Amino acid sequence: TQTTRPQRMLAAVQKNATRGDPRSVVKAIDQFCRQKEWAMNVGDEKGCILDSVVTEVNPATVLELGTYCGYSTVRIASLLPPDAKLITLEFNPHNAAIARQVIAWAGLGDKIQLVEGASGDWIPKMKEKFGIETFDLVFLDHWKDRYLPDTKLMEECGLLRKGSILLADNVISPGTPDYLEYIRNSPRYKSQYFRSHLEYTKAEDGLEKSVFLG
Ligand SMILES: Nc1ncc2ncn(CCCCCNC(=O)c3cc(-c4ccc(F)cc4)cc(O)c3O)c2n1
Ligand SMILES: [Mg+2]
C-alpha cells in the first residue's frame, strides 16, 4: 500500500541520520525535502533564524503550536539548556505518530512533551495539566488563522510574562495578515520581521519575532 510523505520522511531519517544526534536528524530531513519531496518544515534557512532566537532566549519553557513531523521540535530542543521543557501540540494523529519517532531517533524524548489535540482546546489547560506558569518562548507554526486567536488566548490564560517571546512562521507565505496587523500595532508587543524564504524555495517568507511587554 502507498506510504505517506511523513512516513517517507521518517524513513529518510532512520536511513541517513545517526541515532541520538539531533543535528543529523535536521540535516537528513532538509536533504530529503531538497532532493526528494517538498514538505512544510520551517527548513534550513528560516531554521538558522529560529536557532539564533532560541540561543538568545535560552528558554526554560517552550510551547510549539503545530509539530507536523517534529523537524522544528528537534531543532529547538537540541539547543535547550539541560532542565528545559518543550511542549508541542499536534492534532493530526498520523503526523503525531511520525513526530514521536523522529523525536525518539534524535534522542530528545525527555525534553519534549508531544500533546495530541487542537491549540484552542489545550492552551487553557496548560497550567493545570503540565504545571506551566508561563512560556519563555512560543513558536507558532500551526493553522495560520489560529495565530491571532491563540495569541489572545495565551494572554487571557496568563501564559505570557513580561519578556516572553513569540516567534511566528509563515507570516508572508501562506501569510497571517490578521496576526501581523494585531501584533505590529499592539502597544503590548515589540515586533521585528526577519525576512527569509519559504522553506526549500525562492519565494519570500519570514519569521515575526514579538516580545510581550506585559
Ligand atoms: N489549531 C491547531 N492546533 C494544533 C495543530 N496541529 C496541527 N495543526 C494544523 C496545522 C496544519 C499545518 C500548518 N502549517 C502550514 O499550513 C504551513 C503551510 C506552508 C505552505 C504550504 C503550501 C504553500 F504553497 C506554501 C506554504 C508552509 C508552512 O511552513 C506551514 O507551516 C493544528 N492546528
Ligand atoms: Mg511553517
Side-chain angles (χ1 to χ4, degrees):
T1 55
Q2 178 60 15
T3 60
T4 65
R5 182 167 304 177
Q7 281 171 329
R8 295 192 291 272
M9 194 186 298
L10 173 61
V13 166
Q14 293 171 332
K15 179 165 177 280
N16 303 317
T18 308
R19 265 185 188 284
D21 176 354
R23 303 314 284 185
S24 76
V25 168
V26 166
K27 197 167 165 15
I29 293 174
D30 283 329
Q31 272 180 339
F32 174 80
C33 291
R34 281 198 177 282
Q35 292 162 14
K36 298 282 188 328
E37 306 181 54
W38 187 91
M40 59 182 171
N41 316 116
V42 73
D44 39 9
E45 194 180 313
K46 288 185 287 179
C48 286
I49 301 166
L50 173 62
D51 290 354
S52 62
V53 171
V54 174
T55 310
E56 176 202 344
V57 177
N58 200 36
T61 55
V62 182
L63 174 63
E64 175 180 63
L65 300 175
T67 315
Y68 186 43
C69 296
Y71 173 91
S72 48
T73 323
V74 164
R75 192 156 188 144
I76 294 167
S78 72
L79 298 173
L80 293 181
D83 299 333
K85 276 278 164 221
L86 189 162
I87 296 176
T88 184
L89 285 187
E90 176 56 49
F91 75 39
N92 178 312
H94 175 72
N95 293 349
I98 297 293
R100 289 188 200 284
Q101 295 173 79
V102 169
I103 290 162
W105 195 270
L108 289 168
D110 60 345
K111 278 183 184 293
I112 296 164
Q113 171 122 31
L114 195 161
V115 179
E116 282 186 46
S119 52
D121 301 334
W122 276 96
I123 285 171
K125 297 179 193 165
M126 282 293 152
K127 291 192 183 231
E128 62 173 298
K129 293 276 179 190
F130 303 106
I132 293 283
E133 272 306 298
T134 55
F135 286 108
D136 300 326
L137 173 67
V138 182
F139 181 53
L140 297 94
D141 195 20
H142 58 328
W143 283 140
K144 307 315 161 193
D145 60 7
R146 286 296 312 180
Y147 285 26
L148 181 52
D150 286 341
T151 297
K152 290 181 174 172
L153 194 52
M154 287 188 284
E155 288 173 22
E156 285 151 23
C157 296
L159 287 168
L160 304 178
R161 54 140 174 102
K162 193 173 165 49
S164 289
I165 302 288
L166 302 186
L167 189 64
D169 190 26
N170 309 119
V171 295
I172 303 299
S173 172
T176 61
D178 60 342
Y179 173 80
L180 276 190
E181 161 80 19
Y182 173 79
I183 208 91
R184 289 176 173 174
N185 296 306
S186 165
R188 303 185 75 186
Y189 294 90
K190 178 90 187 74
S191 286
Q192 191 182 358
Y193 175 59
F194 292 83
R195 186 166 186 223
S196 184
H197 295 94
L198 176 65
E199 47 267 27
Y200 318 116
T201 78
K202 291 186 168 39
E204 181 177 350
D205 191 22
L207 301 175
E208 187 82 0
K209 176 190 171 196
S210 306
V211 187
F212 185 60
L213 302 173

